[in-house]
Amino acid sequence: MKPVKENKIILLVFFFLPALFFGCKQKTQIEDRIASELYVHILIINEKYGAESDSSKVYKKELFKKYNIDEKQFDDYLKSLEEDKEKWERFFNLSEEYLNRLKADGNIN
């Protein structure tokens, strides 16, 4: 009877360990709404401080921290939009809506 029980354990380890390993390694996907908000804020920062200024870099770093997203992850998300026209249009529309909402609320000029 012991060999059957040992086989079950081996099978469990064999199937669940790789799933756990690969599952934990995958990056979390950025929600479109979050990405569009982040994108709009980055555009505002670039417009206000210049894309490569020290102030811009500091504010962007704080922004990525606030949204709990790293810059590479965000860049990868933006690159993924190039491959999918529908996703790009949805992203652009969300970004435009968010920008208009900020303007309507008086948060930006």
Side-chain angles (χ1 to χ4, degrees):
M1 291 256 186
K2 272 190 174 182
V4 172
K5 192 172 186 178
E6 287 176 10
N7 286 342
K8 285 182 180 180
I9 292 172
I10 291 171
L11 282 174
L12 284 174
V13 170
F14 181 73
F15 285 112
F16 287 112
L17 206 54
L20 182 63
F21 177 73
F22 289 113
C24 292
K25 245 187 144 174
Q26 291 179 346
K27 293 181 181 179
T28 51
Q29 286 284 28
I30 301 174
E31 292 179 35
D32 292 338
R33 181 189 58 79
I34 298 295
S36 66
E37 289 179 14
L38 185 56
Y39 182 74
V40 167
H41 285 292
I42 288 172
L43 290 178
I44 293 168
I45 289 169
N46 288 345
E47 182 71 25
K48 188 171 184 177
Y49 301 104
E52 297 301 318
S53 71
D54 289 340
S55 295
S56 175
K57 291 175 185 176
V58 169
Y59 284 115
K60 286 179 194 175
K61 187 176 181 179
E62 289 176 8
L63 193 59
F64 284 115
K65 186 176 180 179
K66 174 184 174 184
Y67 282 95
N68 198 26
I69 297 170
D70 64 45
E71 195 167 353
K72 173 149 179 24
Q73 190 178 7
F74 183 68
D75 289 342
D76 290 344
Y77 174 86
L78 292 178
K79 286 178 187 171
S80 76
L81 296 177
E82 296 172 3
E83 302 165 5
D84 188 342
K85 184 179 178 182
E86 288 179 21
K87 189 173 179 180
W88 164 251
E89 288 176 5
R90 184 172 55 248
F91 171 79
F92 183 80
N93 289 335
L94 284 170
S95 299
E96 190 173 41
E97 289 170 11
Y98 184 66
L99 180 60
N100 290 336
R101 211 168 37 246
L102 288 175
K103 287 179 180 179
D105 292 345
N107 292 328
I108 61 168
N109 299 326

